[in-house]
Amino acid sequence: MTADKLIAKACEWWLKGGRHSALCSQRDVFQARLDYFLKELLTKKIPEDLAYLFVAMIGELGNNSFDHNLGQWQDVPGCVFDHCIEDSVSVLIADRGQGIFSSLKHVLPKLTSDAEALKIAFYQKISGRSPERRGNGLKFVNNALSSLKKCTLLFLSGEGFLELGDKNNLLCDKMRTKLGGRHNQGVLCLLNYEN
Amino acid sequence: MKIELKKYGEILISRQAGREAALVVRAYQKPLNGIEPIEIDFAGVKVMTPSWLDEFLQGIKGEFKNKVVLLPSTNSSVIESIKVL
């Protein structure tokens, strides 16, 4: 599958739900697919240390879907974890869960927008799952992106979006164009590495 | 006492798995006394997330009062995970 098709398929599912061939309805399915994805990266000669860090970031993003949405799904439980490896490595994670704003609103009642919620999620150590001591997963993703070159994350939830890492990524632009301002309260993210 | 994390897998990602690993250590691998440091050995681990590590360390520190020492690693996912804890 091409990156364009990958994006189109994931956007469609994020907006409307229904079936998706890469849906991981349970955490164990996601974990198994992640193990396989690592093997695929190494087979395609992606440098080992980069592959390990890349998989760790995806692990955090995918596990967040389950950690923050159990019992809170809009309709379809689980997350879509799809990828394609061409000249670049593109990974999509999407869920139809409660989203970042709704999750953080429990601990930050004065929160007013999706955009504000995303900034807090990525830059502050705070989690919607209070009183548990959590909230370092997305900071880890942010730090890891800073340490990598040619790597970009486009992260959307509700009306908010953040682009982290290398800017002006063509695929991220394509995804935003594809969505054309449409959104869902859940999470959609594209992680892209230009090999 | 040295805890070799590779025994719990090469890809250590979810909080649930980290908590389970800590419970196994608490049951089967105890320090000889209250002074012996607990060394966490990352050798052989390929993928680590802060979620797994946080849950594991909380479980260990909650059970044992010994000093916990994180041994050095060259793996980027381990290094970045330790940084955000």
Side-chain angles (χ1 to χ4, degrees):
Chain A
M1 186 170 19
T2 64
D4 285 355
K5 281 187 182 169
L6 183 85
I7 288 170
K9 207 173 153 191
C11 287
E12 186 74 10
W13 182 84
W14 187 57
L15 293 170
K16 295 179 182 171
R19 303 178 74 153
H20 193 294
S21 58
L23 177 69
C24 305
S25 55
Q26 294 178 28
R27 195 193 298 270
D28 290 347
V29 178
F30 172 72
Q31 178 82 43
R33 289 175 62 92
L34 195 60
D35 291 359
Y36 180 79
F37 174 66
L38 174 60
K39 285 180 186 154
E40 203 177 338
L41 284 179
L42 298 175
T43 306
K44 304 269 183 177
K45 309 292 181 200
I46 304 294
E48 270 191 29
D49 207 42
L50 170 71
Y52 298 155
L53 191 56
F54 207 74
V55 167
M57 285 192 282
I58 297 161
E60 278 292 353
L61 293 166
N63 267 300
N64 270 352
S65 288
F66 295 95
D67 288 343
H68 296 281
N69 292 312
L70 282 176
Q72 309 290 328
W73 309 106
Q74 294 165 46
D75 41 34
V76 187
C79 71
V80 162
F81 167 37
D82 212 356
H83 71 275
C84 77
I85 305 175
E86 301 172 303
D87 296 334
S88 69
V89 181
S90 302
V91 176
L92 268 156
I93 303 275
D95 70 54
R96 290 177 57 82
Q98 63 173 328
I100 305 293
F101 176 82
S102 178
S103 178
L104 285 181
K105 186 79 174 169
H106 294 293
V107 287
L108 298 170
K110 291 181 179 172
L111 201 60
T112 56
S113 70
D114 290 311
E116 185 188 3
L118 287 195
K119 277 190 181 166
I120 290 169
F122 274 91
Y123 292 100
Q124 292 181 29
K125 196 166 182 174
I126 191 165
S127 168
R129 282 189 53 156
S130 174
E132 296 173 75
R133 279 182 54 246
R134 293 185 173 214
N136 44 30
L138 294 180
K139 267 62 69 182
F140 165 79
V141 171
N142 195 8
N143 290 349
L145 281 165
S146 305
S147 72
L148 294 173
K149 287 177 181 168
K150 300 185 291 182
C151 197
T152 308
L153 173 73
L154 178 61
F155 191 101
L156 302 102
S157 180
E159 293 179 350
F161 70 90
L162 271 182
E163 192 171 336
L164 301 167
D166 273 8
K167 301 286 190 265
N168 303 318
N169 182 285
L170 186 62
L171 281 180
C172 291
D173 292 343
K174 278 186 179 176
M175 189 157 94
R176 291 186 59 197
T177 305
K178 180 79 189 167
L179 288 166
R182 295 172 297 166
H183 59 267
N184 179 277
Q185 73 178 80
V187 165
L188 173 66
C189 50
L190 168 66
L191 187 59
N192 180 252
Y193 168 70
E194 295 290 338
N195 196 6
Chain B
M1 178 179 90
K2 184 184 282 189
I3 301 174
E4 296 177 68
L5 294 189
K6 69 179 177 190
K7 290 181 177 174
Y8 300 92
E10 292 180 331
I11 303 177
L12 305 174
I13 288 179
S14 73
R15 283 191 174 270
Q16 288 73 9
R19 190 178 310 139
E20 183 65 17
L23 288 171
V24 170
V25 169
R26 287 163 66 155
Y28 296 115
Q29 196 178 357
K30 296 176 181 175
L32 295 172
N33 51 50
I35 303 166
E36 182 190 25
I38 298 173
E39 296 178 320
I40 310 295
D41 184 2
F42 298 94
V45 172
K46 290 180 176 173
V47 180
M48 167 71 72
T49 67
S51 292
W52 192 98
L53 187 59
D54 184 36
E55 208 67 39
F56 180 77
L57 291 177
Q58 279 188 50
I60 297 298
K61 289 174 180 173
E63 177 73 5
F64 308 118
K65 301 303 169 203
N66 305 50
K67 185 180 177 187
V68 174
V69 179
L70 304 181
L71 297 180
S73 168
T74 55
N75 181 294
S76 297
S77 67
V78 172
I79 294 168
E80 293 297 334
S81 293
I82 292 171
K83 272 188 198 170
V84 298
L85 291 186

